[in-house]
Amino acid sequence: MNSFTYHRATAVEDAVRDQASHEGSAYIGGGTNLIDLMKESVERPTHLVNVAKLPLAAIESQPDGGLRLGAMATNADTAWNEDVKSRYPLLNQAILAGASPQLRNAATNGGNLMQRTRCLYFYDLATPCNKREPGTGCSAVGGFNRIHAILGASEHCIATHPSDMCVALAALAPTVRVSGPNGERSIAFDDFHRLPENQPEKDNTLAPGELIISLDLPEKGFEKNFSYLKLRDRNSYAFALISVAVGLELEGGTIKDARLALGGVAHKPWRDQKAEAMLKGQPATEDTFRRVAAQVVAEAKGQGSNDFKIALAQRAIVRALKQAADGSQKASDVFQNSNP
């Protein structure tokens, strides 16, 4: 067993100060990902700062009409919050499509953003992995890569981000508020996670010691025309092969505004703003949706075992756009197998 010291923080300032004073330290909230990584010796922090009891669990309306999600609010409390259900049903559906009820009761909103890839090679200490040990290589390239990225990958890493919640957040475009040794700052959600490039060990753009304190959702929640579609190998407790989050604003049969994000395809939640621009001003028809879906995967690249994801993503995008345009999203619609 790897030994570590432990501190239960009582305030944000206390957490940041304690983390900064211990080399090799890590924050822990719900622990639903970090504890697994520690058990497998993938991560070996020498000091843990428990932030679970910090006063960051509130979900509150904001003066600008948006909604602030506390970083320590659980995924379950967030999904079932009345404001989230009524104003941001896309987020409600995405959260409920992820993990299990037990995990959603423990996992926090901040932790959801921080969870790491479920690549088999990342968890296997006997194999090279640039994300785990930079410079050793990516075993998934040329290896077993059925679940891996088709967009935004590099020769150094083809792992995917596992979150459902983050795909919906990518479409909703919140601001991530963080606090660190240099004070507070805000990060646009699209800028929070990063692509692997030549530093796949870096999952996000947080500076050392920074702690997520909230997610600030904008006023627009696409509550009338939305869809979250998750395609996976089994209907319970499985990560997405492809997931699609869609928000549409319609005026008659014309698309006035659009958001489109994918999961299971890249190192980060994949929002395609070029595709969104293509949708604006167009009729909400299957022909439009097919053209847009083709654009999204135009630069997709399979790795052999995951080549099927390219066609699967196209079909999933069309289905999700149709569901959003029809206003036909139902709770059961997020639980789909991999045959769209």
Side-chain angles (χ1 to χ4, degrees), residues 221-238:
F222 299 97
E223 67 274 11
K224 292 183 180 179
N225 296 94
F226 69 93
S227 177
Y228 187 74
L229 178 65
K230 180 177 182 177
L231 306 180
R232 47 187 166 175
D233 287 323
R234 61 181 187 272
N235 283 353
S236 176
Y237 197 50

Side-chain angles (χ1 to χ4, degrees), residues 60-68 87 216-217:
E60 302 171 317
S61 296
Q62 297 298 290
D64 63 359
L67 189 69
R68 174 165 292 174
R87 297 172 56 193
D216 291 357
L217 293 166

Side-chain angles (χ1 to χ4, degrees), residues 198-338:
N198 61 355
Q199 290 183 298
E201 73 277 11
K202 294 185 177 181
D203 293 339
N204 54 62
T205 57
L206 286 176
E210 286 188 324
L211 173 69
I212 300 170
I213 56 178
S214 76
L215 299 166
D216 291 357
L217 293 166
E219 182 177 9
K220 183 178 288 188
F222 299 97
E223 67 274 11
K224 292 183 180 179
N225 296 94
F226 69 93
S227 177
Y228 187 74
L229 178 65
K230 180 177 182 177
L231 306 180
R232 47 187 166 175
D233 287 323
R234 61 181 187 272
N235 283 353
S236 176
Y237 197 50
F239 297 103
L241 292 170
I242 301 289
S243 60
V244 186
V246 172
L248 298 178
E249 183 180 349
L250 301 179
E251 196 170 76
T254 301
I255 301 169
K256 184 178 178 182
D257 195 10
R259 299 285 174 81
L260 176 64
L262 278 73
V265 300
H267 196 258
K268 61 180 288 185
W270 189 266
R271 181 183 172 192
D272 195 318
Q273 296 189 48
K274 186 173 182 179
E276 292 172 358
M278 287 179 63
L279 285 165
K280 293 177 185 179
Q282 298 301 307
T285 63
E286 185 165 336
D287 286 343
T288 297
F289 301 154
R290 289 187 181 279
R291 287 196 301 272
V292 169
Q295 164 60 38
V296 172
V297 301
E299 297 183 7
K301 179 183 178 182
Q303 297 288 336
S305 298
N306 70 345
D307 291 350
F308 74 96
K309 277 192 171 188
I310 299 174
L312 185 64
Q314 278 190 270
R315 297 197 298 271
I317 292 165
V318 173
R319 176 190 280 189
L321 285 165
K322 288 171 66 176
Q323 286 182 174
D326 294 343
S328 59
Q329 175 81 79
K330 301 179 180 64
S332 59
D333 290 336
V334 299
F335 304 114
Q336 301 284 343
N337 62 29
S338 58

Side-chain angles (χ1 to χ4, degrees), residues 91-219:
L91 180 58
N92 161 271
Q93 295 290 276
I95 294 173
L96 295 180
S100 66
Q102 293 89 341
L103 286 174
R104 293 195 296 268
N105 285 338
T108 64
N109 292 336
N112 197 293
L113 271 64
M114 297 295 293
Q115 64 179 305
R116 309 207 71 189
T117 182
R118 264 52 178 193
C119 173
L120 298 176
Y121 298 107
F122 176 66
Y123 275 81
D124 184 359
L125 301 185
T127 61
C129 172
N130 284 325
K131 181 175 284 294
R132 191 179 65 247
E133 296 183 66
T136 59
C138 177
S139 296
V141 176
F144 182 73
N145 48 48
R146 183 173 181 272
I147 66 172
H148 287 73
I150 57 173
L151 292 166
S154 75
E155 62 180 321
H156 302 287
C157 183
I158 59 172
T160 56
H161 193 272
S163 173
D164 288 286
M165 178 180 180
C166 285
V167 182
L169 290 173
L172 293 169
T175 297
V176 184
R177 292 175 60 242
V178 304
S179 182
N182 296 319
E184 291 190 12
R185 68 182 180 115
S186 296
I187 308 170
F189 188 84
D190 195 48
D191 296 329
F192 182 85
H193 297 100
R194 62 184 302 280
L195 294 177
E197 299 172 335
N198 61 355
Q199 290 183 298
E201 73 277 11
K202 294 185 177 181
D203 293 339
N204 54 62
T205 57
L206 286 176
E210 286 188 324
L211 173 69
I212 300 170
I213 56 178
S214 76
L215 299 166
D216 291 357
L217 293 166
E219 182 177 9

Side-chain angles (χ1 to χ4, degrees), residues 67-80:
L67 189 69
R68 174 165 292 174
L69 309 177
M72 292 302 117
T74 67
N75 289 174
D77 286 345
T78 302
W80 296 116

